[in-house]
Amino acid sequence: MPVDEIDAFSGDPNFMTSLARGLAVLQAFDLRQRSLTVSQVSQATGIPRAAARRCLYTLLQLGYVAEQHGHFSLRPKVLTLGFAHLSSRPLAAAAQPLLDRCRDRLHESCSLALLDGGEVYYQARAETTRIMSIALYVGTRLPAYCTSMGRVLLAALPEDELDKYLARTTLHPRTVKTVTSVAKLREILVGVRRQGYALVDQELEVGLRSIAVPVFDRHGHVVAALNTGTQAARTPLRDLTQLFLPELRAAAAELRQ
């Protein structure tokens, strides 16, 4: 919980607890919790209710959140905290035309993401016009353990870093198909490392399938992941490996050059 990470710095005179709390409050809003009350923010972060209220009040006055009938939601201004930086990154800029090409050939949305704090962090995206129940955009964060890009990136971690990730991460069942066994996830990651791609079938959200490949730097280190997501009702599993995988691998190979 965020409050535990904040409390770990107790006694450090250079650590700004109020700033850390404000950032934790911002991160409490996600794709499932777009509108929160003070009590819900307090529960999600572990921050005392009075402190959570002050954080929300400050963010409201600065224009980062909106409030209606006691429910708070993020305003577009929050994108200024990171969007310009993300969209200007060399890797994201280089990936965008390749993602656009994959989208046009596969007729599905394609994304590039990095691993950050145990989550996949979307750096670039090419969207189709189809409506999906889960909204994804540059800056989106999703849990690594149940996403195809996350598993590609976890599989590339040194064993000691993977051990630390698994020790601090609770594998919540996002759907009935979500793998929640650490032993099973380790087994899956061994397979991902061996085969060079990850396929996830409705573990993040019912009806959503995705496949991802690693992006390597010139030294052979995995620095990012590319994926394509599709609806299970429209795309059989075999198409992900037979049709989508070659396109993703070709794009990843071009990014490495």
Side-chain angles (χ1 to χ4, degrees), residues 20-74:
R21 285 177 170 176
L23 294 173
V25 166
L26 284 176
Q27 293 176 46
F29 296 89
D30 58 27
L31 295 174
R32 292 187 172 187
Q33 302 291 334
R34 300 187 184 192
S35 177
L36 297 170
T37 64
V38 172
S39 295
Q40 289 171 326
V41 168
S42 176
Q43 183 177 7
T45 61
I47 296 171
R49 191 178 187 281
R53 179 184 58 77
R54 289 195 298 272
C55 288
L56 286 167
Y57 175 83
T58 302
L59 292 169
L60 178 65
Q61 299 307 311
L62 294 176
Y64 290 107
V65 302
E67 185 269 336
Q68 185 174 20
H69 306 304
H71 285 76
F72 295 83
S73 58
L74 297 182

Side-chain angles (χ1 to χ4, degrees), residues 167-240:
R168 68 173 183 266
T169 302
T170 301
L171 308 182
H172 292 290
R174 300 284 295 242
T175 75
V176 295
K177 289 194 170 188
T178 307
V179 172
T180 56
S181 161
V182 170
K184 179 61 176 177
L185 181 58
R186 283 186 182 276
E187 181 183 337
I188 290 172
L189 295 178
V190 169
V192 170
R193 195 177 301 119
R194 182 181 62 250
Q195 65 196 15
Y197 70 88
L199 192 157
V200 170
D201 182 20
Q202 304 180 74
E203 293 189 48
L204 175 67
E205 179 175 294
V206 174
L208 179 63
R209 288 173 173 161
S210 67
I211 187 169
V213 300
V215 176
F216 297 91
D217 64 15
R218 295 181 180 180
H219 303 290
H221 302 130
V222 175
V223 294
L226 287 175
N227 94 325
T228 299
T230 185
Q231 293 179 0
R234 185 173 63 249
T235 307
L237 283 172
R238 64 177 180 274
D239 283 1
L240 270 68

